[in-house]
């Protein structure tokens, strides 16, 4: 990174949860945001001049490339990307269908690949950029019923580390964040009643994370304060599974 004015940051999965909070924090500090999601939620209604919204599917590489081109044309440059878009649909191993498996891999991994491929040529050209990928504690520490999700989130770490090495000579950094559990619509949609409270009691810090806890870590990685930080997995989880 250099001392130049920050460019725009692309956020996928910006319509909900962690991506929504990253978008809010970026806009609060005056950073232009290219917000991408299948469901943009309340973002278009914000009418913020620093915000451009793209209703797109991250499995659509052409749509991502179009969003990148439009953002560069409007904002001059893209200096960061947080690829938050993802799905989590747990079920017992023998109930996993080909459709379940393909949905997880096409959104949680192929969508991340396409998002990186869309922004990286520009970042390489300007010799400046920071990419934040989203893994999960489940990528390392197993729990029953999560095989298809865990496989993709382990894959995100492999993708992140390889990309970090390939991009380092271009001054483009690539890191991951692995939330333990964060209070967003994603876990609420699938976890039985009481699970969040149980997880809070089992956490050394006595609570589960918030979308803001996760977004705070992303804001650091996207900033110049992290200019020598690449290839790392930030486990933002209140201290669970310390091994
Ligand atoms: P969320 O469900 O609140 O938000 C995810 C967003 O991604 C949604 O707005 C959804 O519309 C969007 N999305 C899904 N598929 C898409 C597609 N194909 N194209 C475009 N947008 C798509 O989830 P969250 O909790 O904010 O999760 C953000 C990231 O953090 C995810 O990658 C998730 O796997 C990871 N994560 C979350 C937790 C947690 O407990 N919340 C834990 C570990 C990892």
């Amino acid at each position: 990174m250099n001392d130049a004015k920050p460019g725009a940051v692309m956020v996928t999965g910006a319509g909900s949860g962690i991506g929504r909070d990253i978008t809010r924090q970026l806009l609060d500090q005056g950073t232009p945001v290219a917000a991408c999601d299948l469901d943009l939620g309340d973002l278009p209604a914000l009418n913020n001049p620093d915000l451009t919204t793209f209703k797109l599917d991250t499995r659509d590489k052409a749509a991502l490339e179009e969003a990148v081109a439009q953002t560069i044309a409007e904002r001059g440059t893209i200096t960061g990307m947080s690829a938050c878009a993802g799905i989590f649909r747990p079920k017992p191993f023998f109930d996993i269908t080909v459709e379940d498996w393909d949905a997880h891999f096409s959104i949680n991994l192929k969508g991340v690949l396409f998002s990186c491929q869309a922004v990286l040529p520009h970042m390489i050209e300007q010799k400046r950029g920071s990419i934040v990928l989203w893994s999960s504690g489940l990528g390392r520490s197993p729990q029953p019923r999560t095989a298809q999700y865990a496989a993709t989130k382990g894959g995100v770490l492999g993708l992140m580390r390889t990309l970090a090495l390939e991009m380092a000579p271009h001054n483009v950094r690539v890191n991951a964040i692995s939330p333990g559990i964060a209070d967003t619509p994603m876990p609420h949609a699938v976890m039985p009643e009481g699970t969040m409270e149980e997880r809070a009691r089992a956490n050394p810090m006595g609570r589960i994370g918030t979308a803001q806890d996760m977004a705070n870590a992303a804001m650091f990685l996207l900033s110049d304060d992290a200019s020598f930080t690449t290839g790392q997995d930030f486990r933002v989880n209140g201290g669970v599974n310390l091994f």
Side-chain angles (χ1 to χ4, degrees):
M1 303 286 256
N2 56 34
D3 292 333
K5 188 173 175 291
V9 174
M10 174 169 267
V11 181
T12 75
S16 172
I18 296 167
R20 177 70 180 77
D21 204 82
I22 294 170
T23 300
R24 176 190 66 76
Q25 293 201 34
L26 289 166
L27 293 174
D28 283 353
Q29 71 177 27
T31 299
V33 180
C36 308
D37 204 306
L38 277 171
D39 177 357
L40 290 159
D42 69 346
L43 291 177
L46 296 182
N47 284 323
N48 187 315
D50 288 328
L51 175 67
T52 311
T53 55
F54 298 92
K55 185 173 166 54
L56 60 74
D57 189 325
T58 54
R59 291 167 289 186
D60 182 346
K61 192 176 179 193
L64 285 162
E65 288 170 346
E66 176 57 34
V68 166
Q70 187 181 320
T71 303
I72 295 167
E74 279 176 8
R75 311 290 183 184
T77 181
I78 298 176
T79 53
M81 186 195 42
S82 178
C84 304
I87 58 166
F88 175 47
R89 296 174 189 158
K91 54 165 62 174
F93 182 74
F94 282 109
D95 293 347
I96 296 172
T97 63
V98 170
E99 290 74 25
D100 295 326
W101 188 262
D102 288 349
H104 280 79
F105 273 78
S106 65
I107 296 174
N108 293 0
L109 264 179
K110 193 166 72 179
V112 173
L113 169 75
F114 286 169
S115 302
C116 293
Q117 287 182 331
V119 293
L120 276 170
H122 173 70
M123 289 181 173
I124 290 169
E125 191 184 349
Q126 66 182 347
K127 286 196 90 44
R128 183 182 186 204
S130 172
I131 290 179
V132 179
L133 305 185
W134 291 84
S135 180
S136 165
L138 292 171
R140 288 170 183 262
S141 307
Q143 277 179 25
R145 304 174 72 249
T146 64
Q148 74 278 42
Y149 180 77
T152 63
K153 293 301 183 177
V156 166
L157 292 181
L159 173 64
M160 176 277 287
R161 293 189 181 112
T162 311
L163 207 46
L165 280 185
E166 288 194 33
M167 292 303 120
H170 303 288
N171 194 36
V172 175
R173 299 178 292 103
V174 187
N175 292 283
I177 297 174
S178 293
I181 186 167
D183 192 0
T184 72
M186 180 177 275
H188 277 289
V190 293
M191 288 195 166
E193 186 96 3
T195 305
M196 303 292 252
E197 291 75 14
E198 269 172 39
R199 296 287 295 273
R201 279 194 296 274
N203 190 289
M205 298 195 79
R207 67 175 179 89
I208 61 168
T210 62
Q212 189 176 350
D213 289 323
M214 307 305 145
N216 290 345
M219 293 299 287
F220 165 68
L221 291 170
L222 291 168
S223 79
D224 285 351
D225 290 343
S227 61
F228 199 51
T229 303
T230 197
Q232 304 304 311
D233 174 27
F234 280 66
R235 300 164 73 184
V236 183
N237 61 18
V240 291
N241 298 323
L242 293 181
F243 52 86

